[in-house]
Amino acid sequence: MLSNLLRSYLPKIENIISTSSSNLLDSTFATLKSQKDIQRGSSLLSLMNSPDYSNSDFSFLCYDILNVLSVNDVTVRIIGFRAASFYLDNNSPFIDMMPSIIQTSLQSPLLVAPALNALSRFINPFIYENLQKNLFELAKSGSDIVRKLAICTIFKVYQEKEDILTEF
């Protein structure tokens, strides 16, 4: 029932995105940053993650995602990490500003898993060097999920640059 309803709205949403994607993106991130309607912002991001848009380059969203990740509300930050994992890669603009945001998020039990999940999608050697100590600590964590995500993140860097692992 719900999936049929969403499918009926998908052509309308695709039309909106194709004609005025800039306005939709601006309103989505403005909604998330203002913290007024978090559910609406999350829904808009989910719709943009449909298979039709998976090949599109959304790396220009990095600055807006950084702003969403800087909000104090944990729910908004989780949505921001979700957006980061969907739309960013290790060559995105402003990606080198992420270590400080990730570092503070790794200290929060509610944000550590979403932060590591997003980090595993866009980590590069620069980010790794800044977060190396934190990642090795998390790889020894008592939580299975956190340990697995930390090891997957470290492994992604190893695949890119094999000589980067000196401590392991």
Side-chain angles (χ1 to χ4, degrees), residues 6-156:
L6 288 175
R7 284 190 191 113
S8 68
Y9 280 106
L10 193 57
K12 295 175 188 173
I13 293 168
E14 287 174 349
N15 187 30
I16 291 169
I17 290 174
S18 64
T19 58
S20 62
S21 61
S22 168
N23 293 338
L24 181 63
L25 292 171
D26 289 344
S27 70
T28 300
F29 285 104
T31 299
L32 288 171
K33 286 185 272 189
S34 70
Q35 302 177 29
K36 290 182 183 172
D37 192 358
I38 295 170
Q39 185 64 35
R40 178 176 177 268
S42 176
S43 299
L44 288 169
L45 284 175
S46 296
L47 287 171
M48 289 179 60
N49 193 39
S50 70
D52 297 334
Y53 302 105
S54 61
N55 294 330
S56 301
D57 179 19
F58 286 106
S59 62
F60 63 91
L61 296 174
C62 192
Y63 184 72
D64 289 317
I65 291 171
L66 284 170
N67 285 333
V68 170
L69 290 173
S70 299
V71 172
N72 287 331
D73 187 344
V74 172
T75 307
V76 172
R77 290 180 79 179
I78 290 171
I79 294 168
F81 282 123
R82 184 175 175 203
S85 67
F86 289 157
Y87 304 124
L88 302 182
D89 62 25
N90 58 359
N91 296 318
S92 297
F94 301 110
I95 201 74
D96 293 339
M97 296 171 70
M98 289 298 244
S100 62
I101 292 171
I102 297 288
Q103 205 161 28
T104 58
S105 299
L106 293 178
Q107 308 306 318
S108 169
L110 296 173
L111 293 173
V112 68
L116 284 172
N117 187 36
L119 181 62
S120 70
R121 308 217 188 237
F122 60 76
I123 194 163
N124 62 26
F126 174 79
I127 295 173
Y128 174 77
E129 288 173 12
N130 286 294
L131 297 174
Q132 182 178 10
K133 182 180 175 185
N134 297 44
L135 288 171
F136 281 114
E137 286 174 11
L138 292 169
K140 299 172 188 172
S141 169
S143 168
D144 292 340
I145 296 288
V146 171
R147 191 171 50 248
K148 184 186 290 186
L149 288 170
I151 291 170
C152 286
T153 303
I154 294 168
F155 182 69
K156 183 165 182 198

